[in-house]
Amino acid sequence: MDKKMKASAAGGEDRISDLPDALLHHVLSLLPVDEAVRTSVLARRWRGLWKGMPVLRLVGPKKRFPTAEDFDRFVNRLISVRGDLPLVSCKVAAYLTWDDYAGEPEEPEPNIYFDSWIQYALACKVKMLKVVDDLVGSETELIVPLVSQHLTSLDVHYVCLGKDTVDFSSCPVLEDLKMQECGLWVRSMSFPSLKRLYLVECNFPEQGRAHLDHRIRISAPGVVSLRLHVGRGKTPLLESMPLLETACIELSYQCKDQCRGCGGDASCEGCHGYPDGSYRSVLLNSLSNAVNLELTDEPNVYIYKRDLECCPIFGRLKTLLVDMWCRAIDLHALVHILQHTPILEKLTLQLRSDENFLNAGRGERKHARIEQTFACTHLKEVNIECEEKLRVKDKVRQIVKIFRKIGILTEKISFKKIPRPEGCYHFEVVSPRAFDDNWSGSGGE
């Protein structure tokens, strides 16, 4: 053992302090920010070393600070001492105040420095910024001007945007944006530089009949990956996305674009909200360049079915997943999809036993007339995921007949049985014979 190692073993040498600054900064970044600051007392080598940390997590304050005011004072002091040294990543999280500090003589005003800490991160040329508001409380409006020549990734949770127009052109290198459970009370949103956009369980405006034409307009011409989950309100109108490769769209049961069983009532927006010839595609036109696409909704949501009537050819689409919205009367929507996807290679259908699906399938002659006008020559794989119910099986057999008539061999069709217990679904591979009594394994008709 050499002298250095002997001295280190005897506790006579600080080997960690010999590490380069970059490595020590990385280690400090893994600590809670207050513990990282406390390392200044270890030795002269560590004095102020924490200032160069490339990561800040301004998350508090219940377990580490006696009161919210203590946390606020600590962070503001930290910012003052640290200065504007560059940041790679920063997380700013609102803290619970009313519940967290219940019983204090004077409960603190919630998150009074929330915006200023976000502004500080932007001033430090942060590249990746995450902003999380208090999930328990009401949404806090994000009023900080998002202006940065360095921000590449923005992750925002539980906040709201209230301006008429949200324009991210002041963030010219921003490529990744995720907004989760946010309230988007705006008229338009523009993301000129984005490549990946995720709007997950967000709430959009709900308008009455006087504003039927008002939907949030989203412009993101450079996006290659899109996830849109409409939590509540009207489906946003997507503008052209010529570079789009992958998209996953989910319209929840709280989406307002649906018919709720009006029985032909002329006041139902879902059925009669648009005069003949005035409907404009909301989603599908802008998704027509996608290579991989997932389209799911809840019963009675009409956006996909209406868009399909005026959508273009999906000239690049190779993989497609759809659920029960293709259950339209006489399964016309499914046939229409196949007509508009000339190079489709893989199709997945997710089918469950709602009444709309079980009542579909009328008009076999209409199928015969439509199916003769196209052929899916590139379709190599069809996956049908469905419940093990007799009435569902009958509808699946109708779908299998459609595929046979357009030349899809039965051996290319696989089935997954979905039992329906309480809770989650379990997938199980089953034989095609479960849905086709004449299946022999020798190919299609």
Side-chain angles (χ1 to χ4, degrees), residues 331 360-361 364 393-402:
L331 301 175
E364 285 288 329
K393 288 183 179 180
D394 289 340
K395 302 307 174 185
V396 173
R397 289 190 181 99
Q398 295 177 16
I399 293 173
V400 171
K401 287 181 181 179
I402 292 176

Side-chain angles (χ1 to χ4, degrees), residues 287-291 312-318 340-344:
L287 302 175
S288 60
N289 288 306
V291 177
I313 298 296
F314 290 80
R316 301 202 305 156
L317 193 64
K318 293 187 177 181
H340 284 73
T341 53
I343 65 170
L344 187 66

Side-chain angles (χ1 to χ4, degrees), residues 247-251 284 287 292-298 304-305 308 314 317-328 331-338 341 344 346-352 357 379 381-386 399 403 418 427:
C248 177
I249 312 296
E250 181 178 354
L251 307 181
L284 295 189
L287 302 175
N292 308 291
L293 187 58
E294 295 184 12
L295 302 173
T296 62
D297 74 357
E298 293 292 330
Y304 297 143
K305 294 188 285 288
L308 199 61
F314 290 80
L317 193 64
K318 293 187 177 181
T319 66
L320 173 66
L321 181 148
V322 293
D323 66 355
M324 293 185 297
W325 69 270
C326 67
R327 67 195 178 285
L331 301 175
H332 177 75
L334 175 59
V335 175
H336 207 52
I337 290 171
L338 297 175
T341 53
L344 187 66
K346 179 180 178 180
L347 174 66
T348 300
L349 301 176
Q350 295 180 338
L351 309 172
R352 296 185 178 92
F357 174 66
L379 193 56
E381 181 181 349
V382 178
N383 300 313
I384 301 178
E385 301 171 359
C386 59
I399 293 173
F403 288 125
I418 313 175
F427 292 94

Side-chain angles (χ1 to χ4, degrees), residues 62-86:
K62 182 177 181 180
K63 294 182 179 180
R64 312 195 63 81
F65 294 86
T67 67
E69 288 93 337
D70 289 333
F71 179 70
D72 289 343
R73 282 193 293 267
F74 168 77
V75 174
N76 288 334
R77 176 60 177 164
L78 177 146
I79 288 173
S80 175
V81 173
R82 186 183 182 279
D84 58 357
L85 294 174

